Amino acid sequence: MNLRQLEIFRAVMQTGTTSGAAHILGISQPAVSNMIRHMEAQSGIKLFNRYKGRLWPTEEAGILNHDVESIFVMFRSVTQKVQDLRESRVGSIKIVSVPSLAQSVLLSAMRSFLADRPNVSVSLDLERMEGVINRVDHNLADFGMTLAFSGYPSVEAKPMHLGCMVCIMPADHPLTACETVRAADIRRHSFITMERGTPLGNIIANAFTSAGEDFSWVVETRYSNMAYSLVETGLGVALIDEYYARSHASERVVIRPFVPTIPLTVYVLFSRLRPLPSLAKAMIHEIENAFLDLSTLAPDKPRPTKEAAIVLG
């Protein structure tokens, strides 16, 4: 028996008449009757008794119907799975990101992405920039996110968003009186910097050098979340990426634009050697939407940002 025959048999079992089965299947009543007779002849089993215009299933038909129902439950499941795959609503993705992006825009994107995808799972790892590149290169992640990229032969880097560094300070700090903050302003206060030798640490040091100011600090740390916590406890002021700063707005911390602007580019990284899974593409699209919504996370947005759509092959 083929699936169409079983579908007609099931419809007759549900309605008790060939006309009822024909109605729900959208075919003619003679076509249903002919198919039932063909099934009985093909199987050598009497499936229905005819009595007063109705079809009464035999015991054999009842036994067969139990398995037919199981087949159609499985068929509906497969149909739903196909739809879920087409709409990127099933499966798993592996993401690796630098902490400041994972704890800001990526969190927002994941919340939206998973809200209507109960059958999708996400694996998220946090790494420094070098670790992000390595994981993408070795197929340990579908894609990665960084705030800098120095080039790697087998890894493609697409700019996702243009941002900047901002100055954060305790709410009672003297620099809160400034509309913008310069290196000369910071020099007179305790400064928390990003770790020397890291991409962010280097661009901060270069900003002080370009301004002709001495670069001195009381604490250095690799991660923006740690710098933010140090500022929150009143240890000094810091320059961190705007994404973490504005995603963690606090009454104890004030954000001010730093001038001249220190630009930052967010990159999405993926392998040049493997196609990007459709589920990963859907997640990247959700991250792009999170960047568009970023301006609503804090009222004192330091500067306009520029979004650039990503074309993914």
Side-chain angles (χ1 to χ4, degrees):
M1 294 183 184
N2 57 44
L3 190 61
R4 183 58 172 171
Q5 290 175 319
L6 296 180
E7 184 181 29
I8 291 174
F9 167 77
R10 178 170 173 264
V12 173
M13 290 291 290
Q14 289 175 340
T15 63
T17 65
T18 54
S19 59
H23 177 72
I24 64 174
L25 293 175
I27 59 177
S28 67
Q29 185 270 337
V32 174
S33 298
N34 290 336
M35 184 62 74
I36 293 298
R37 284 194 292 269
H38 179 71
M39 289 176 64
E40 290 179 325
Q42 184 181 24
S43 63
I45 300 172
K46 187 173 181 60
L47 298 173
F48 295 97
N49 292 311
R50 282 78 174 169
Y51 181 71
K52 293 186 176 180
R54 293 186 62 86
L55 296 179
W56 297 88
T58 63
E59 181 179 355
E60 292 81 0
I63 295 172
L64 179 62
N65 188 57
H66 179 271
D67 287 339
V68 169
E69 281 299 324
S70 299
I71 290 172
F72 278 90
V73 168
M74 183 181 299
F75 180 75
R76 286 194 299 271
S77 176
V78 171
T79 302
Q80 183 62 52
K81 183 64 66 65
V82 170
Q83 183 177 350
D84 288 343
L85 287 169
R86 184 174 61 247
E87 298 176 356
S88 298
R89 295 182 182 276
V90 65
S92 62
I93 52 176
K94 295 175 289 185
I95 307 170
V96 59
S97 171
V98 294
S100 61
L101 294 176
Q103 295 169 339
S104 55
V105 289
L106 191 48
L107 280 182
S108 175
M110 285 179 60
R111 189 184 305 115
S112 300
F113 182 76
L114 295 174
D116 59 349
R117 290 178 171 88
N119 297 318
V120 170
S121 59
V122 177
S123 173
L124 174 61
D125 281 325
L126 306 186
E127 288 277 1
R128 62 183 66 183
M129 185 190 76
E130 298 85 353
V132 173
I133 296 173
N134 183 68
R135 283 179 173 268
V136 171
D137 182 48
H138 287 84
N139 198 28
L140 298 176
D142 294 309
F143 69 91
M145 294 182 65
T146 70
L147 286 167
F149 184 71
S150 57
Y152 204 80
S154 59
V155 175
E156 183 80 14
K158 294 289 188 181
M160 175 176 276
H161 191 268
L162 178 64
C164 63
M165 301 288 283
V166 295
C167 184
I168 58 173
M169 63 204 70
D172 58 355
H173 197 275
L175 287 183
T176 58
C178 301
E179 291 186 4
T180 60
V181 176
R182 298 178 178 272
D185 302 320
I186 292 177
R187 182 175 54 81
R188 296 190 291 269
H189 302 280
S190 297
F191 182 50
I192 300 161
T193 189
M194 308 305 290
E195 183 178 331
R196 292 166 297 169
T198 65
L200 296 188
N202 289 338
I203 63 175
I204 291 173
N206 291 338
F208 275 78
T209 301
S210 298
E213 298 293 339
D214 293 334
F215 181 56
S216 59
W217 41 268
V218 293
V219 181
E220 69 171 357
T221 179
R222 175 174 284 269
Y223 301 114
S224 291
N225 60 339
M226 192 68 244
Y228 191 97
S229 296
L230 292 169
V231 169
E232 204 168 21
T233 59
L235 288 179
V237 301
L239 293 178
I240 68 171
D241 65 273
E242 65 168 297
Y243 306 108
Y244 189 89
R246 292 196 281 117
S247 297
H248 294 77
S250 166
E251 294 181 354
R252 297 188 297 272
V253 176
V254 172
I255 305 172
R256 290 289 184 264
F258 182 81
V259 291
T261 298
I262 302 176
L264 290 176
T265 301
V266 177
Y267 292 94
V268 57
L269 311 182
F270 48 93
S271 174
R272 297 180 186 269
L273 308 178
R274 301 179 302 275
L276 193 62
S278 59
L279 196 59
K281 291 181 181 179
M283 182 66 200
I284 291 173
H285 178 70
E286 201 66 54
I287 295 170
E288 288 181 306
N289 290 337
F291 278 113
L292 292 174
D293 295 338
L294 189 63
S295 60
T296 66
L297 296 177
D300 51 351
K301 184 177 178 181
R303 62 185 287 275
T305 55
K306 176 184 178 183
E307 287 77 22
I310 303 174
V311 179
L312 300 172

